């Protein structure tokens, strides 16, 4: 009896040991970084349910995201819309904590597929307090400097990663053919060649593609780089009258020669994602255009990354938007869109797409293609190995090195359109040492105005208290001789100007910030009271007018009274770059990236058009040499004016 009790006891101990000893974890190829990426993709895809696959195709806005939502719906991506931040003036650490919180929800799912967080870093990490704000693309186009743009891409990647974000919705490679378009400042040029050249920002953002990398395969070098996104495919800059999201009427050859070249170049440089345009091509919504998305982008150009919709892009396939969402889901996914920027009604999208798949309206092969592309980017960028952000790059946000780079970009973006009332009496560069100077204009002391749209808020901001930077009037005061008296008056009347014995005046005026449709304009005028300021000041003094704008604006009526005219575009936070050139520490080198019209009645008007009769032609820009001149005793400076 005792012997049998012992035997039972031994068997119990053995059984307990068996139950409590952990089973050897199953080897999962997709978790092994030593496995080839195609093997990892296929292994993971084979394990995924339909629910998990569709979740990967969903991108939601941070306001509706949480760790629980990420886990329950297997969400593949989260984004910050313009101005959508975890807290006002949030620190880099606050951003990182938010992103990681969402990520932990994703990692807690059955398969632990990490989500990818995206943001519109279109001229620096521009949603984020204290970030370096670079000139908008139109200014970079004026620089004609792809190497500079590459460096800006690398700096933007570091500042975006500094906040824990690995995906930037940039660059915009639109070819703006009509400045009435509210996104024209997001376009480098009206010339497709310049836009192609500026795709050098992609290897800046993502890293340089290895020479042996297959064509069309996305590439991200590592944790100091981000996933880039060429947008908006295709023809967004060619809409009728420049109306945002409208119809681009152009034949196939025109589309290929004007709007398509930069996409081919982007793919050659390893761009990881492409965003679809709201606009239509000859009446067909791009979000529903299977011929151009699947047929041309994926099959002909060989793009192997993922295609993402724009914000509520599927909704806008119909008019009014969301009128038949079931149809929109079918049309968009069938066209070849892989990830959908939903961004709020994710349950409706998930239910709708699930219904279409289960009813064989959308084949599983289309879902698998989408998920395979999304997983490819996530594996390539190392997201599975490094899903959580750390604080190692927080010091990159708004670093002095990046601010110096932005200041250089400002200098190179400035275009001198007029310099003196006669060729042999140039006004610029201005003397630093003189008795008293007037600085005037609504844009002279306004950081928000000089940054433009897509800065802190989607539509930009007004004033100096929303982020850190140097206004143009502060830059002037930093630059002039200490003995020179600088008087700033935003909108002086004529009597004030005449009675103060100023040596000269600097007038800084232009457009108020805007983004997208809010920027569409049929008149392209300088914002009030800008014209009055020009008349009051330039009617009485030698004056330099600096235009802060996202495009050419109406200037011809005031030109005769203006002694010197500078197009400064939207320079960003580093206004010191303007003073560097205006006072001669550096020369003017910028060239017009687009045609400056006489009147809006001429539009659209691009270089090469039969009716081409500009105020200043494409490629125009007066160049000057740096000078050490410190007083107004010797105003003469040799200059040259030439075209590209």
């Amino acid at each position: 009896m005792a012997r049998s009790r012992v035997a039972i006891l031994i068997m119990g101990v053995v059984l307990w040991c068996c139950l409590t000893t952990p089973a050897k974890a199953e080897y999962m190829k997709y978790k092994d970084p030593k496995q080839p990426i195609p093997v990892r993709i296929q292994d993971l895809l084979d394990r995924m349910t339909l629910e998990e696959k569709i979740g990967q195709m969903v991108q939601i806005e941070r306001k509706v995201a949480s760790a629980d939502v990420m886990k329950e719906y297997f969400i593949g991506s989260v984004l910050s819309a313009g101005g959508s931040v975890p807290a006002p003036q949030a620190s880099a650490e606050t951003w990182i904590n938010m992103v990681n919180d969402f990520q932990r929800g994703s990692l807690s799912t059955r398969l632990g597929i990490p989500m990818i967080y995206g943001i519109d870093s279109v001229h620096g990490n521009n949603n984020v307090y204290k970030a370096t704000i670079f000139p908008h693309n139109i200014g970079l186009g004026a620089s004609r400097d792809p190497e500079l743009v590459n460096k800006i891409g690398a700096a933007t990647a570091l500042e975006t990663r500094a906040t824990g974000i690995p995906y930037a919705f940039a660059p915009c490679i639109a070819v703006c053919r009509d400045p009435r378009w509210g996104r024209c400042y997001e376009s480098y040029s009206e010339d497709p060649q310049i836009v192609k050249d500026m795709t050098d920002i992609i290897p800046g953002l993502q890293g340089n593609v290895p020479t042996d990398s297959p064509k069309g395969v996305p590439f991200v070098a590592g944790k100091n780089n981000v996933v880039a996104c060429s947008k908006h495919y295709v023809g967004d800059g060619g809409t009728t009258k420049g109306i945002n999201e409208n119809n681009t009427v152009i034949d196939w050859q025109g589309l290929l020669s004007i709007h398509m070249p930069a996409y081919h170049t982007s793919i050659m440089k390893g761009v990881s994602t492409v965003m679809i345009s709201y606009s239509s091509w000859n009446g067909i919504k791009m979000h529903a255009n299977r011929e151009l998305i699947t047929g041309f982008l994926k099959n002909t150009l060989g793009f192997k990354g993922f295609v993402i919709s724009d914000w509520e892009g599927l909704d806008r396939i119909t008019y009014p938007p969301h009128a038949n969402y079931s149809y929109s889901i079918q049309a968009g996914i069938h066209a070849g869109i892989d990830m959908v920027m939903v961004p709020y009604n994710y349950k409706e999208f998930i239910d709708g797409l699930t219904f279409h798949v289960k009813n064989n309206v959308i084949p599983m092969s289309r879902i698998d293609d989408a998920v395979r592309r999304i997983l490819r980017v996530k594996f390539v960028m190392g997201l599975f190995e490094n899903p959580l952000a750390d604080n190692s790059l927080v010091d990159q946000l708004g670093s002095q090195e990046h601010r110096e780079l932005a200041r250089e970009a400002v200098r190179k973006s400035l275009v001198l359109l007029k310099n003196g009332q006669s060729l042999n009496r140039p006004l610029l560069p201005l003397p630093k040492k003189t008795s008293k100077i007037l600085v005037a204009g609504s844009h002279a002391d306004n950081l928000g105005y000089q940054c433009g749209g897509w800065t802190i808020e989607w539509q930009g901001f007004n004033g100096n208290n929303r982020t850190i930077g140097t206004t143009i009037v502060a830059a002037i005061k930093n630059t002039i001789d200490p003995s020179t008296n600088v008087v700033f008056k935003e909108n002086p009347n004529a009597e004030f100007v005449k009675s103060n014995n100023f040596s000269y005046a600097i007038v800084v005026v232009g457009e108020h910030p805007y983004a997208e449709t809010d920027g569409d304009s049929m008149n392209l005028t300088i914002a009030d009271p800008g014209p009055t300021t020009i008349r009051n000041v330039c009617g009485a003094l030698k004056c330099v007018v600096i235009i802060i704008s996202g495009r050419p604006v109406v200037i011809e009526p005031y030109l005769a009274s203006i002694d010197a005219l500078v197009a400064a575009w939207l320079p960003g936070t580093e206004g010191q770059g303007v003073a560097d050139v205006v006072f001669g520490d550096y020369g003017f080198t910028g060239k017009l990236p687009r045609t400056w019209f006489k009147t809006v009645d001429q539009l659209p008007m691009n270089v090469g058009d039969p009716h081409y009769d500009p105020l200043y032609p494409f490629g125009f820009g007066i160049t000057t040499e740096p000078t050490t001149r410190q007083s107004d005793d010797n105003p003469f400076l040799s200059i040259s004016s030439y075209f590209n």
Side-chain angles (χ1 to χ4, degrees):
M1 191 75 174
R3 191 177 293 171
S4 66
R5 283 197 190 116
V6 171
I8 291 169
L9 184 61
I10 292 169
M11 287 177 63
V13 171
V14 170
L15 180 62
W16 180 83
C17 289
C18 290
L19 291 174
T20 57
T21 301
K24 186 178 180 182
E26 179 190 358
Y27 172 64
M28 297 183 180
K29 289 182 180 178
Y30 79 89
K31 292 187 175 181
D32 183 357
K34 295 177 183 176
Q35 290 286 343
I37 285 176
V39 172
R40 298 178 75 184
I41 293 170
Q42 193 60 52
D43 179 67
L44 180 49
L45 203 59
D46 289 344
R47 297 172 188 271
M48 295 173 74
T49 64
L50 176 61
E51 190 179 10
E52 288 165 332
K53 289 176 180 178
I54 287 177
Q56 283 301 300
M57 298 172 67
V58 177
Q59 185 179 71
I60 61 174
E61 217 284 327
R62 54 162 289 279
K63 290 174 184 172
V64 297
S66 68
D68 289 341
V69 167
M70 304 305 291
K71 182 177 180 179
E72 183 176 352
Y73 295 96
F74 311 103
I75 301 297
S77 184
V78 182
L79 85 150
S80 275
S84 179
V85 300
Q89 299 188 352
S91 66
E93 291 87 351
T94 300
W95 279 92
I96 288 168
N97 292 339
M98 177 193 70
V99 174
N100 282 348
D101 182 55
F102 297 147
Q103 189 66 282
R104 289 187 184 98
S106 296
L107 297 177
S108 70
T109 57
R110 181 178 72 94
L111 296 170
I113 304 172
M115 68 87 191
I116 182 171
Y117 198 104
I119 196 166
D120 284 282
S121 293
V122 298
H123 62 143
N125 193 1
N126 44 261
N127 277 284
V128 177
Y129 179 66
K130 288 187 177 178
T132 307
I133 305 300
F134 293 92
H136 266 299
N137 287 354
I138 189 169
L140 300 182
S143 78
R144 301 293 202 276
D145 192 340
E147 185 179 346
L148 171 69
V149 169
N150 179 272
K151 291 176 183 176
I152 290 172
T156 299
L158 286 169
E159 295 211 15
T160 303
R161 282 282 195 173
T163 54
I165 298 173
Y167 181 15
F169 303 131
C172 177
I173 54 171
V175 181
C176 175
R177 303 291 284 178
D178 193 322
R180 291 174 291 187
W181 186 36
R183 305 194 77 156
C184 205
Y185 64 80
E186 297 184 59
S187 168
Y188 294 107
S189 178
E190 72 188 45
D191 177 16
Q193 184 58 51
I194 291 174
V195 178
K196 271 181 67 175
D197 292 343
M198 295 302 168
T199 58
D200 267 7
I201 195 171
I202 293 169
L205 290 163
Q206 297 192 156
N208 291 309
V209 179
T211 52
D212 59 348
S213 180
K215 178 196 168 191
V217 174
F219 176 78
V220 183
K223 292 171 69 175
N224 289 353
N225 298 94
V226 294
V227 168
C229 179
S230 290
K231 64 184 187 182
H232 309 83
Y233 185 82
V234 62
D236 52 342
T239 59
T240 301
K241 295 183 179 179
I243 298 170
N244 192 41
E245 305 181 19
N246 204 252
N247 189 28
T248 296
V249 179
I250 194 170
D251 62 20
W252 175 240
Q253 192 53 48
L255 191 75
L256 282 183
S257 62
I258 295 173
H259 299 287
M260 196 68 79
Y263 285 96
H264 179 255
T265 309
S266 295
I267 292 166
M268 298 297 287
K269 291 175 182 176
V271 75
S272 296
T273 71
V274 170
M275 186 182 292
I276 303 302
S277 177
Y278 289 127
S279 59
S280 303
W281 176 49
N282 294 335
I284 300 172
K285 286 278 188 179
M286 276 305 309
H287 274 78
N289 196 320
R290 181 174 171 82
E291 177 188 354
L292 282 178
I293 298 173
T294 298
F296 196 78
L297 180 65
K298 290 183 174 181
N299 295 342
T300 301
L301 295 182
F303 176 61
K304 300 295 192 299
F306 70 78
V307 173
I308 186 168
S309 82
D310 207 332
W311 176 276
E312 294 181 344
L314 296 195
D315 305 62
R316 301 187 201 187
I317 288 174
T318 60
Y319 187 82
H322 207 80
N324 186 346
Y325 196 53
S326 177
Y327 164 75
S328 293
I329 293 169
Q330 177 189 341
I333 302 303
H334 174 71
I337 293 170
D338 304 312
M339 183 179 282
V340 177
M341 195 183 290
V342 175
Y344 298 123
N345 300 320
Y346 57 91
K347 294 178 187 177
E348 182 184 10
F349 172 77
I350 289 169
D351 290 345
L353 183 53
T354 302
F355 176 85
H356 285 320
V357 176
K358 288 185 174 178
N359 287 275
N360 299 315
V361 176
I362 294 175
M364 185 60 80
S365 59
R366 173 73 273 271
I367 303 300
D368 285 348
D369 171 62
V371 177
R372 181 175 280 109
R373 289 168 176 274
I374 293 164
L375 294 178
R376 181 178 292 124
V377 171
K378 290 183 176 183
F379 280 124
V380 160
M381 66 185 290
L383 195 59
F384 280 79
E385 287 67 56
N386 296 292
L388 295 171
D390 58 41
N391 292 356
S392 61
L393 294 175
V394 294
D395 291 343
Q396 295 289 336
L397 187 69
S399 73
Q400 191 57 38
E401 181 183 355
H402 295 163
R403 292 188 184 279
E404 289 299 327
L405 178 65
R407 181 175 171 181
E408 177 189 351
V410 173
R411 292 195 294 261
K412 291 181 174 179
S413 70
L414 302 177
V415 180
L416 181 55
L417 299 173
K418 181 179 180 180
N419 194 14
Q421 296 293 0
S422 62
L423 283 175
N424 64 345
R425 297 291 293 177
L427 181 59
L428 293 173
L430 293 172
K432 294 179 183 178
K433 186 174 183 180
T434 189
S435 57
K436 185 165 62 170
I437 65 174
L438 171 65
V439 179
S442 53
H443 291 56
D445 190 29
N446 198 308
L447 198 59
Y449 284 5
Q450 73 187 47
C451 289
W454 290 111
T455 310
I456 305 300
E457 301 287 353
W458 174 40
Q459 294 293 331
F461 67 94
N462 174 10
N464 295 331
N465 61 353
R466 298 296 302 277
T467 194
I468 305 299
T470 304
T471 65
I472 292 170
V473 72
I476 291 168
K477 291 176 179 178
N478 291 341
T479 306
I480 51 93
D481 188 90
S483 66
T484 301
N485 182 17
V486 178
V487 176
F488 171 62
K489 195 166 182 65
E490 189 169 310
N491 188 29
N493 60 38
E495 180 58 32
F496 176 86
V497 176
K498 291 174 184 173
S499 62
N500 270 278
N501 198 30
F502 294 111
S503 301
Y504 58 79
I506 301 171
V507 178
V508 192
V509 293
E511 296 185 299
H512 292 161
Y514 54 80
E516 301 194 41
T517 304
D518 284 10
D520 286 358
S521 171
M522 293 298 114
N523 54 37
L524 296 179
T525 51
I526 293 169
D528 287 329
T532 302
T533 308
I534 292 173
R535 281 192 292 266
N536 287 348
V537 176
C538 297
L541 285 176
K542 286 190 293 185
C543 76
V544 180
V545 173
I546 299 172
I547 303 291
I548 304 294
S549 68
R551 53 201 165 187
V553 290
V554 174
I555 195 68
E556 191 181 34
Y558 326 111
L559 196 56
S561 66
I562 295 171
D563 295 286
L565 179 63
V566 177
W569 315 111
L570 299 169
T573 52
E574 305 314 301
Q576 193 64 49
V578 176
D580 286 344
V581 182
V582 168
F583 288 97
D585 292 332
Y586 293 81
F588 282 92
T589 58
K591 301 294 169 188
L592 282 181
R594 55 181 319 101
T595 300
W596 203 294
F597 57 86
K598 293 176 181 174
T599 69
V600 291
D601 297 337
Q602 297 175 295
L603 301 175
M605 178 175 64
N606 295 284
V607 63
D609 286 350
H611 67 292
Y612 199 67
D613 182 27
L615 182 63
Y616 296 109
F618 168 84
F620 179 81
I622 300 169
T623 59
T624 64
E625 296 299 323
T627 178
T628 56
R629 179 167 58 112
Q630 296 297 313
S631 70
D632 53 6
D633 298 333
N634 178 23
F636 182 77
L637 179 75
S638 63
I639 61 169
S640 63
S641 174
Y642 62 93
F643 305 97
N644 278 1

